[in-house]
Amino acid sequence: MKSNTDTIAAISTAMGLSGISIVRISGEEAFAIAEKMYRGIGGKTFTQLRNKQLSYGHIVDVRTGNMIDEVLVSKHGAPYSYTGEDIAEINCHGGPVATQAVLQAALESGARMAEGGEFTKRAFLNGRIDLVQAEAVMDIIDAKTRASLQAAQNRLKGHLSEEIGEVKEYLTDALAYIGVGIEYPEYDVEEAQDEVVYALLAKAEEKLQRLQKNASRGKILNEGLKIAIAGKPNAGKSMLLNALTNRERAIVTDIAGTTRDTISEYINIGQIPVLIIDTAGIRQTQDMIEKIGVARSIAAIEEADIVLFVADGSAKWDKQDDEIRALLKEKRTIDIINKSDIEIDKSVADKLSGEDTVILSALTKEGLGALEEKIVQAAGFTEDVLGAALSANARQEELLTKAAASLQAAMDNLKAGMVVDLAEIDIRNSLEYLYQLTGQSVGEDIIDRIFTNFCLGK
Ligand SMILES: Nc1nc2c(ncn2[C@@H]2O[C@H](COP(=O)(O)OP(=O)(O)OP(=O)(O)O)[C@@H](O)[C@H]2O)c(=O)[nH]1
Ligand SMILES: [Mg+2]
């Protein structure tokens, strides 16, 4: 286990050819280390520099004194820095050789190579941000759309933590009320106590439910929505994929069974990141390759959040359509009649006569906008939800669910007329999950696991 107090250094920009790169040094010795490597113009030393100001100078090889690179440096004194510790930041020329040489100079001057996410981990350990905010930093770097970015920014600003803070307060208050009953049995708080505790729990529950709802949407913003296109051969699935992705991604022919393998592509639909998957047309077949393709289609459908069922508007509805729809019974499905540019067969129109059916032409793209709107709706997003999305990641969502379950148990017990002290343990559990969420109570192993997913230098 690496120490959390020694001074660390890393390259914080992406490796490769670039205009500039940034080497960051954080810890108690950061300024002393920078002092050894830096020669300011006009003989100024690093120590003499003003806080949070860019200064021009050179980095030298600490053994030979030879110049390594021309740089701009800045110092950020604790606690007002990213990590909460002293930070020296060096802007050197981009390019792997110059950048590595500057990092090397820092390591030779006494810094240790930072691990992935270690700067952000220190910000957390120093209490500058909580765990939800630390995870938001990673989501900002990973953001796939503007909405994902906005949601992560909200979390970094502490909005989600604040909301969780309110739930914690209700629960803590409830525990305090129960405490009164336990410690001062001579006071006659019994009667009112039940009601007060229950009311507090109900408030906590309402808030938690809202957070949970947002959390599931947030997961979509972070991880993307999986959409599979399913239907019988020649329905126009691949042409629909091409229309949605705006490029000739999949081969389209009039031969039934053209697509053999699943083909996937990332797109954005109304600010939602979507992984869209074209599948092989599902049918009974003797062809070895097509058989494997059909099996893969079925697996892709199982994994998908939403399935687009494509019916061929130019052909008669048949048994294959029925079989595929039976397969989709448990899935969130959007029905589509394709090929609206030619006359739609009555058998298809009759089968898919619901209001929710989208009629479109993958060829002319007519009706594509309506499909995209349906997808956004089906994913549970509207414009204002997108703006306010207090998203959460999978870890956070799981803890919210656990907290809600414990809270529910406490409320059920109270409702069933159990003595109020018995609800106490469940309330404590619920609170504990929320502490784990924000990181007030979380094991070293979990912290390490969270931060190792970060990129180096962040
Ligand atoms: N007129 C018209 N033809 C279309 C439309 N969409 C697809 N087609 C035609 O239908 C045929 C099949 O299209 P594909 O996209 O290859 O169909 P598929 O569902 O991917 O078929 P498989 O890969 O075999 O399962 C091609 O000849 C397309 O040109 C449409 O909206 N209008
Ligand atoms: Mg195809």
Side-chain angles (χ1 to χ4, degrees):
M1 178 108 311
K2 295 276 167 75
S3 153
N4 287 321
T5 53
D6 53 0
T7 298
I8 52 175
I11 300 164
S12 284
T13 39
M15 287 304 279
L17 299 178
S18 65
I20 60 161
S21 284
I22 295 175
V23 173
R24 203 188 241 173
I25 310 168
S26 176
E28 254 171 42
E29 297 297 315
F31 293 168
I33 287 168
E35 176 84 15
K36 288 187 204 164
M37 312 157 57
Y38 176 73
R39 303 286 178 270
I41 288 311
K44 255 199 181 167
T45 65
F46 192 83
T47 313
Q48 290 166 329
L49 302 181
R50 305 231 320 257
N51 204 34
K52 303 224 185 263
Q53 243 181 31
L54 274 183
S55 307
Y56 173 76
H58 293 137
I59 294 296
V60 296
D61 184 322
V62 286
R63 285 167 306 177
T64 62
N66 291 339
M67 180 180 120
I68 292 175
D69 198 8
E70 210 181 1
V71 296
L72 286 171
V73 297
S74 58
K75 65 202 273 191
H76 307 261
Y80 303 108
S81 72
Y82 182 73
T83 54
E85 305 169 331
D86 282 347
I87 287 186
E89 227 167 64
I90 302 164
N91 291 246
C92 58
H93 284 110
V97 178
T99 316
Q100 277 293 350
V102 171
L103 174 65
Q104 195 57 37
L107 299 179
E108 281 167 11
S109 306
R112 159 172 70 77
M113 183 69 201
E115 298 181 335
E118 204 169 359
F119 291 98
T120 310
K121 181 178 171 184
R122 291 209 170 172
F124 164 68
L125 292 175
N126 292 326
R128 214 185 59 71
I129 52 176
D130 69 18
L131 209 49
V132 173
Q133 290 172 303
E135 286 174 304
V137 171
M138 187 163 51
D139 294 336
I140 287 173
I141 296 172
D142 279 345
K144 295 184 181 70
T145 70
R146 288 290 290 271
S148 326
L149 177 65
Q150 177 70 45
Q153 297 281 16
N154 282 345
R155 251 180 304 150
L156 180 60
K157 276 190 242 155
H159 292 345
L160 180 62
S161 310
E162 271 168 35
E163 305 253 341
I164 292 168
E166 282 178 39
V167 180
K168 284 182 195 155
E169 235 164 78
Y170 289 134
L171 297 180
T172 315
D173 284 354
L175 285 175
Y177 264 96
I178 294 173
V180 172
I182 293 172
E183 279 160 39
Y184 311 100
E186 66 271 23
Y187 287 104
D188 188 21
V189 287
E190 275 297 306
E191 236 170 289
Q193 190 193 28
D194 268 30
E195 281 165 33
V196 174
V197 170
Y198 196 87
L200 284 166
L201 297 187
K203 278 190 184 155
E205 189 197 26
E206 191 196 325
K207 189 111 222 175
L208 256 187
Q209 274 174 357
R210 261 229 328 274
L211 287 177
Q212 274 183 289
K213 212 185 252 166
N214 277 320
S216 57
R217 296 193 187 108
K219 216 169 89 191
I220 292 173
L221 287 181
N222 285 332
E223 292 164 20
L225 188 70
K226 261 194 198 156
I227 299 184
I229 308 176
K232 68 183 176 190
N234 264 348
K237 300 180 294 299
S238 297
M239 193 169 254
L240 179 61
L241 175 87
N242 290 348
L244 284 168
T245 55
N246 242 328
R247 63 197 198 97
E248 301 300 312
R249 177 69 178 83
I251 301 172
V252 172
T253 74
D254 56 4
I255 302 165
T258 301
T259 306
R260 300 300 185 90
D261 208 346
T262 49
I263 299 175
S264 57
E265 188 76 15
Y266 269 107
I267 53 171
N268 293 336
I269 297 181
Q271 295 290 319
I272 303 175
V274 172
L275 179 68
I276 186 129
I277 307 154
D278 178 25
T279 67
I282 296 174
R283 64 169 171 181
Q284 301 290 345
T285 169
Q286 292 312 313
D287 184 305
M288 254 273 283
I289 302 171
E290 198 181 348
K291 246 188 187 155
I292 298 171
V294 169
R296 287 192 181 182
S297 301
I298 293 170
I301 288 167
E302 267 166 23
E303 275 179 33
D305 299 304
I306 295 176
V307 179
L308 307 182
F309 170 70
V310 183
D312 186 343
S314 71
K316 282 230 159 341
W317 183 277
D318 61 20
K319 211 176 83 208
Q320 290 180 62
D321 290 298
D322 281 325
E323 282 169 8
I324 297 167
R325 285 201 91 211
L327 208 66
L328 301 178
K329 223 170 44 215
E330 306 288 318
K331 298 298 294 190
R332 201 159 3 146
T333 305
I334 298 175
D335 290 326
I336 296 169
I337 300 177
N338 186 30
K339 310 193 186 178
S340 66
D341 53 293
I342 42 186
E343 202 186 338
I344 293 172
D345 194 278
K346 190 170 174 314
S347 62
V348 179
D350 285 349
K351 274 285 178 184
L352 300 179
S353 58
E355 256 178 41
D356 281 337
T357 300
V358 181
I359 300 171
L360 57 77
S361 164
L363 180 68
T364 66
K365 298 198 178 184
E366 198 191 333
L368 208 62
L371 173 63
E372 290 179 337
E373 267 171 41
K374 268 263 147 56
I375 290 172
V376 173
Q377 262 173 28
F381 285 90
T382 56
E383 275 300 313
D384 36 320
V385 170
L386 276 172
L390 290 168
S391 63
N393 62 24
R395 184 191 76 89
Q396 296 161 354
E397 192 181 8
E398 187 188 331
L399 287 166
L400 281 175
T401 307
K402 285 181 172 168
S406 294
L407 178 58
Q408 193 58 55
M411 293 176 74
D412 288 348
N413 280 339
L414 279 180
K415 240 195 233 154
M418 302 270 233
V419 267
V420 98
D421 329 357
L422 283 179
E424 187 181 342
I425 182 85
D426 287 320
I427 301 173
R428 279 194 195 286
N429 283 340
S430 182
L431 204 51
E432 171 64 23
Y433 290 128
L434 296 178
Y435 283 143
Q436 285 178 21
L437 211 167
T438 48
Q440 278 148 296
S441 150
V442 63
E444 186 106 16
D445 50 331
I446 292 181
I447 292 175
D448 284 341
R449 193 159 3 116
I450 289 169
F451 286 102
T452 46
N453 291 328
F454 273 59
C455 47
L456 215 59
K458 189 67 213 181

